Amino acid sequence: MKILVINGPNLNLLGKREPEIYGSETLDEILEWLTATAEAKGHGLEHFQSNHEGAIIDRLHEAMGQADGIIINPGAFTHYSYAIRDAITAMGIPTVEVHLSDIHSREDFRKISVIAPACVGQVSGLGKEGYLEGLRKLVQGRPV
Ligand code: DQA
């Protein structure tokens, strides 16, 4: 499968940003591990990170007809970006929402995802393993 991994705002700061919540690994380290693991299973991975809502939406549009599945950690956009949710719905590409931390056991505003209803699944609280779990969900949900 051709998988697009999207990481939203502040995830470029992984490793430095609240390591007690998000871990000590950088985004590059996580992506290197994820790419190697996905490739070993025969999947191709592309990655995009942006701190800008519109740039994420543009990248989702570009994925149309290109990607077989999307793994997205929308960062704080999770909790209020109806525009990203609409873009995911419009693309019609199976998408899994991933969070490093457990959004359901943190502040109340994090418990709500406006994006999850547009996704085929949500993974939360597994750290970097969550991205791999997202890949598993995409592969399982693939039409045969
Ligand atoms: C996050 C959780 C969000 O609430 C937060 O705004 C993030 C990271 C996570 O991966 O745990 O930026 O998506």
Side-chain angles (χ1 to χ4, degrees):
M1 285 179 89
K2 274 160 62 178
I3 308 291
L4 173 63
V5 180
I6 297 182
N7 280 286
N10 300 308
L11 291 161
N12 55 313
L13 297 180
L14 286 179
K16 294 186 199 126
R17 173 193 186 199
E18 298 172 278
E20 66 288 359
I21 296 176
Y22 298 115
S24 56
E25 280 185 275
T26 65
L27 184 57
D28 280 350
E29 286 167 346
I30 292 175
L31 289 170
E32 205 175 303
W33 162 81
L34 185 65
T35 304
T37 312
E39 282 177 358
K41 292 174 191 288
H43 305 291
L45 218 82
E46 266 190 45
H47 176 253
F48 179 75
Q49 188 277 328
S50 178
N51 295 321
H52 305 278
E53 188 178 27
I56 292 171
I57 292 165
D58 287 344
R59 189 63 190 85
L60 284 165
H61 292 180
E62 278 172 32
M64 211 168 183
Q66 304 289 325
D68 303 313
I70 296 172
I71 297 169
I72 186 166
N73 182 345
F77 286 141
T78 305
H79 315 300
Y80 64 93
S81 178
Y82 292 102
I84 291 178
R85 170 187 172 152
D86 280 354
I88 292 170
T89 303
M91 289 314 92
I93 301 170
T95 299
V96 177
E97 179 186 313
V98 170
H99 301 284
L100 294 153
S101 66
D102 180 7
I103 58 170
H104 301 288
S105 65
R106 298 182 63 195
E107 302 97 317
D108 281 349
F109 79 89
R110 292 188 205 274
K111 293 180 179 150
I112 292 165
S113 168
V114 301
I115 288 176
C119 296
V120 297
Q122 185 193 65
V123 183
S124 176
L126 298 184
K128 72 173 184 182
E129 291 286 336
Y131 291 94
L132 201 53
E133 186 56 28
L135 177 62
R136 281 190 201 106
K137 282 188 189 291
L138 288 174
V139 172
Q140 277 165 11
R142 196 182 193 188
V144 281

